[in-house]
Amino acid sequence: NRNHSSEWFFYFRIFVIQNFKMNIKDLIQDKLQEIIQTNYQLDDQNDPKKVTLEVQKTNPDHEGDFTIVTFPLVKILKKSPDVIAMELGDALSTQSDFVESYNVVKGFLNLKIKNSFFLNNFNSVKDNFDKVPEKNETVMVEYSSPNTNKPLHLGHIRNNLLGFSVAQILKQDGYNVIKTQIINDRGIHICKSMLAWEKFGNGETPKSTNTKGDKFVGNYYVEFDKNYKSQIADLIANGQTEDEAKKNAAIIQEAQQMLLNWEKGDEKVRNLWNEMNSWVYEGFGETYKRLGVDFDQVQYESNTYILGKDLIQEGLIKGILFRKDDGSVWCDLTDEGLDQKLLLRSDGTSVYMTQDLGTAVQRFKDNDIQKLIYTVGNEQDYHFDVLFKILKKLGYNWAENLYHLSYGMVELPEGKMKSREGTVVDADDLMQEMYETAKEKAQELGKLENLSDSEKEKSYETVGLGALKYFMLKVDPKKKMLFNPKESIDFNGNTGPFIQYTYARIQSLLSKAEYKEQTVSEYAMNDSEKELVMNLSNFKEVVSKAAETLSPALVANYVYDLVKSYNSFYQNNPILNQDNENTKQFRLELSSLTGKTIKKGLSLLGIGTVDRM
């Protein structure tokens, strides 16, 4: 009755405010678990807490909203599935406020949920949409971490988008998040670019050549490799083996000497290093801005590699590390199922592992963090396995809270990219290509004809980069992916533009209806409306699962499924032409919350929206 519904509405809202991650299926699951524990006396081997019955959406051929699969209890209770289903149906009907009726089909328990439950659930989801749980835990997420010898490329794009999105998802799930990058601003690769510029640059600069700074420096990295290969070929022609030629080539020996001079603080080398890195940082900044990613902290390997060396000395004193006859320092990880790992070269220079050890220690020293996530490609799986194990050996308990977010490489139809050979897909060029493709596609379809020129430009940029980001993030991070720009920009199917277009359609609908938010207290939903409500109620659970698994793909594919559900609802339910004002208002409320959820979901992926397309 009306009073009972009102009372349930009140308590339901209190419940949702306290537990607003839970959706309708979760509530059914919890009540079902409670009934199993209360009604069936099982021995220790058949603990009811270990019995989980699956709750599914009911097949359209049967009556009901949810179906419970009873078969896991058959062997334990030694009863037929039909009997178990009937018993559970009776219990749910009498011991819960949300079951209207039930039926049993071949052991499957189909539940029809009270309409008031769906409506109260919808209103509670709407009321609590902006509420975020508080985890009281700080997580640091590292991503990007480029080298200053080349511009960002396609691989960096996946890295940045993945790291940034994971940070956004963790924030939405209630964590405090610190977004960081460490810039690999020193080492032999940096010296290669510096030496090539010194030899072949003739004093030119990014400004004098009208070249973006990071591209300018990257060109000299490629130039170094060309000359290095030429010298190797000459030495091999004069009788040296390939290994000998690689070591004896004059240009690589000069680069190695430059690195030693840098570590000694040579003024000339340091000045050149500072100048060339400043060109690169300016270029990186432009790329990050257009890509829509940012950082709360930036660290530089040039500041942390010394700390790494201090840790090596500490490890030697404690007997955790050992020195070989040539003076190099190693860590023996054979007891961990690995091998021996070099930490300091015989000439005293550090390696990447040395720097990463120092950086990790510094991060936990400077920040009150409980977890550190490294967003780095799966080519470095071994490196991080070693890093974490060495830190544990050195006695750092927080090493248990380090996590490598390992992701698959991005390849093109043409194959794998190689930086030193200059065969990479430049990040800036790709973003511009996405913009141009979006512009071409929109003009071809006539989707933006009624917009002003400035609105069109904004749409081209938002849709083009949205297509790129969605295509990158809809794939599980662990999987290798093949990137196809043309495929990503399609306005149909599982793409960013398709989702953005649905969002724009909703905004247009709300505008035409002159929508004003209201709470609808009584309304009988049809099946497509219930399905949309159920999808909307799943959002926070999906975000929580994505935070747990560090997988933006869960959010991306959720938003796509939500859009499909909304489009089905939209096509089968008149809204603007609806005569019944209560029905019209509810469908506008449903559309409004769907739009908010799409926008929020896309924002967690770093993707923007436009109100008109």
Side-chain angles (χ1 to χ4, degrees):
N1 60 41
R2 186 183 296 267
N3 290 335
H4 182 77
S5 176
S6 176
E7 182 181 0
W8 160 243
F9 181 69
F10 172 77
Y11 285 110
F12 182 84
R13 288 204 174 193
I14 294 294
F15 179 85
V16 172
I17 288 172
Q18 294 173 340
N19 304 277
F20 56 86
K21 282 198 302 183
M22 300 192 79
N23 58 27
I24 297 174
K25 285 174 64 175
D26 289 328
L27 296 174
I28 296 172
Q29 191 87 60
D30 276 9
K31 190 63 182 178
L32 193 60
Q33 197 71 38
E34 178 188 322
I35 288 170
I36 292 173
Q37 292 184 47
T38 303
N39 291 14
Y40 299 113
Q41 300 298 316
L42 305 177
D43 58 33
D44 292 339
Q45 288 184 318
N46 295 312
D47 185 349
K49 293 180 182 179
K50 297 177 182 178
V51 178
T52 301
L53 300 187
E54 187 178 355
V55 179
Q56 306 172 342
K57 187 172 177 290
T58 299
N59 189 305
D61 295 335
H62 300 291
E63 182 184 358
D65 300 304
F66 292 98
T67 295
I68 297 170
V69 182
T70 63
F71 296 100
L73 283 173
V74 171
K75 186 175 181 181
I76 297 171
L77 298 178
K78 296 181 174 54
K79 296 180 180 181
S80 74
D82 281 359
V83 169
I84 295 171
M86 292 291 290
E87 290 176 352
L88 292 176
D90 287 341
L92 283 167
S93 295
T94 57
Q95 298 177 37
S96 75
D97 288 320
F98 51 80
V99 175
E100 180 176 302
S101 62
Y102 73 89
N103 64 83
V104 175
V105 179
K106 297 181 179 178
F108 291 92
L109 171 60
N110 301 316
L111 300 178
K112 185 171 179 59
I113 306 301
K114 290 179 181 177
N115 186 77
S116 60
F117 182 85
F118 280 101
L119 185 59
N120 291 336
N121 179 263
F122 170 74
N123 284 322
S124 293
V125 170
K126 187 177 70 169
D127 290 347
N128 292 284
F129 182 76
D130 292 321
K131 287 186 172 65
V132 175
E134 292 185 15
K135 293 286 197 302
N136 294 318
E137 186 174 336
T138 301
V139 180
M140 178 175 279
V141 183
E142 177 198 288
Y143 54 96
S144 194
S145 304
N147 297 330
T148 56
N149 64 317
K150 55 190 176 184
L152 304 178
H153 55 63
L154 176 58
H156 289 114
I157 285 184
R158 188 177 197 193
N159 181 294
N160 275 272
L161 295 180
L162 180 58
F164 181 78
S165 181
V166 164
Q168 296 297 95
I169 290 168
L170 288 168
K171 280 184 187 178
Q172 185 64 28
D173 198 41
Y175 293 92
N176 301 313
V177 178
I178 300 173
K179 296 173 289 185
T180 190
Q181 65 167 323
I182 180 164
I183 297 182
N184 305 308
D185 64 340
R186 60 161 298 283
I188 190 65
H189 51 292
I190 310 298
C191 291
K192 289 177 180 180
S193 295
M194 291 165 58
L195 183 63
W197 182 85
E198 227 178 26
K199 284 180 170 293
F200 315 116
N202 298 316
E204 67 180 17
T205 65
K207 186 175 182 180
S208 69
T209 59
N210 195 29
T211 308
K212 192 164 170 280
D214 51 338
K215 298 183 194 297
F216 179 86
V217 173
N219 290 338
Y220 282 99
Y221 183 64
V222 175
E223 187 66 31
F224 176 93
D225 192 63
K226 289 179 181 176
N227 283 269
Y228 182 34
K229 286 181 176 177
S230 176
Q231 289 187 11
I232 291 172
D234 290 343
L235 292 173
I236 291 174
N238 288 324
Q240 293 192 19
T241 66
E242 184 178 352
D243 287 343
E244 290 171 338
K246 286 180 178 179
K247 292 178 183 177
N248 296 332
I251 197 167
I252 192 65
Q253 292 182 347
E254 289 180 81
Q256 290 167 345
Q257 184 58 50
M258 180 178 275
L259 177 59
L260 289 172
N261 292 340
W262 183 92
E263 294 202 0
K264 291 175 183 176
D266 182 275
E267 185 176 359
K268 180 184 175 184
V269 172
R270 286 286 179 130
N271 287 340
L272 176 60
W273 172 74
N274 279 318
E275 183 173 30
M276 292 186 72
N277 275 349
S278 70
W279 296 339
V280 174
Y281 298 149
E282 186 174 349
F284 284 170
E286 293 176 30
T287 305
Y288 291 142
K289 183 177 180 180
R290 187 171 191 184
L291 192 58
V293 302
D294 58 11
F295 305 90
D296 302 309
Q297 294 182 7
V298 178
Q299 289 177 296
Y300 301 89
E301 278 197 1
S302 55
N303 295 330
T304 59
Y305 86 103
I306 297 174
L307 174 61
K309 285 188 172 183
D310 292 341
L311 291 177
I312 301 306
Q313 294 305 315
E314 180 185 331
L316 285 169
I317 292 171
K318 292 181 178 179
I320 298 169
L321 310 178
F322 69 95
R323 192 186 299 274
K324 289 190 176 181
D325 293 340
D326 63 357
S328 60
V329 177
W330 298 71
C331 181
D332 187 358
L333 295 172
T334 53
D335 60 334
E336 300 277 0
L338 301 175
D339 52 9
Q340 295 181 348
K341 181 62 184 177
L342 174 68
L343 298 180
L344 213 61
R345 298 187 186 95
S346 58
D347 61 7
T349 57
S350 58
V351 294
Y352 274 125
M353 186 62 68
T354 322
Q355 299 156 29
D356 281 349
L357 289 167
T359 303
V361 171
Q362 193 67 46
R363 283 171 169 168
F364 276 87
K365 180 180 178 182
D366 293 344
N367 302 279
D368 181 19
I369 56 177
Q370 285 70 55
K371 189 172 185 177
L372 171 55
I373 298 167
Y374 295 88
T375 310
V376 183
N378 58 17
E379 292 179 340
Q380 296 294 323
D381 285 352
Y382 172 77
H383 174 87
F384 284 99
D385 191 16
V386 170
L387 173 65
F388 300 164
K389 284 181 167 62
I390 292 177
L391 285 167
K392 289 177 186 176
K393 278 185 175 289
L394 291 172
Y396 294 101
N397 294 330
W398 44 255
E400 296 287 345
N401 300 319
L402 301 176
Y403 184 83
H404 174 206
L405 176 50
S406 173
Y407 62 89
M409 293 295 101
V410 184
E411 293 188 5
L412 299 163
E414 296 80 20
K416 194 174 181 180
M417 302 176 293
K418 295 181 181 178
S419 299
R420 64 175 60 89
E421 295 179 9
T423 60
V424 301
V425 174
D426 182 271
D428 298 313
D429 293 343
L430 179 58
M431 285 190 284
Q432 185 60 28
E433 180 184 345
M434 296 303 297
Y435 162 86
E436 297 290 350
T437 305
K439 181 177 182 179
E440 176 186 339
K441 194 77 173 178
Q443 290 176 342
E444 175 189 323
L445 298 174
K447 286 188 176 292
L448 305 177
E449 291 177 354
N450 297 323
L451 303 187
S452 66
D453 288 344
S454 62
E455 287 175 322
K456 287 179 182 178
E457 289 300 314
K458 179 186 176 184
S459 290
Y460 301 150
E461 182 78 1
T462 303
V463 172
L465 292 187
L468 169 65
K469 294 176 181 182
Y470 187 82
F471 198 90
M472 289 280 181
L473 294 173
K474 73 177 182 178
V475 179
D476 185 279
K478 296 181 178 62
K479 294 182 179 178
K480 181 174 69 174
M481 68 172 298
L482 187 70
F483 179 69
N484 186 324
K486 296 289 185 183
E487 185 181 327
S488 72
I489 208 80
D490 199 332
F491 278 78
N492 294 300
N494 192 5
T495 66
F498 173 70
I499 294 169
Q500 289 170 317
Y501 181 69
T502 300
Y503 174 82
R505 170 191 277 179
I506 292 173
Q507 301 316 301
S508 175
L509 167 71
L510 297 176
S511 177
K512 288 177 182 177
E514 298 181 350
Y515 164 74
K516 292 182 181 179
E517 183 176 347
Q518 296 179 26
T519 297
V520 177
S521 58
E522 291 187 11
Y523 180 71
M525 293 185 207
N526 60 34
D527 287 344
S528 65
E529 290 166 336
K530 287 180 180 178
E531 180 181 353
L532 190 51
V533 167
M534 285 189 284
N535 281 334
L536 289 167
S537 71
N538 286 338
F539 178 61
K540 291 187 188 302
E541 181 188 13
V542 171
V543 170
S544 183
K545 189 66 176 177
E548 178 187 339
T549 59
L550 305 180
S551 177
L554 296 180
V555 174
N557 289 288
Y558 163 81
V559 175
Y560 173 59
D561 289 338
L562 176 63
V563 163
K564 288 194 297 181
S565 179
Y566 178 81
N567 286 335
S568 175
F569 152 79
Y570 181 83
Q571 290 165 9
N572 295 295
N573 296 276
I575 301 176
L576 294 179
N577 297 328
Q578 174 57 242
D579 294 331
N580 185 300
E581 282 301 315
N582 195 53
T583 299
K584 180 178 179 179
Q585 185 63 36
F586 175 75
R587 290 175 180 172
L588 288 172
E589 294 297 330
L590 200 50
S591 298
S592 175
L593 183 57
T594 301
K596 286 181 181 179
T597 307
I598 292 171
K599 186 171 186 175
K600 174 64 74 175
L602 289 179
S603 75
L604 298 182
L605 306 174
I607 297 173
T609 55
V610 290
D611 291 344
R612 299 172 65 194
M613 279 179 68

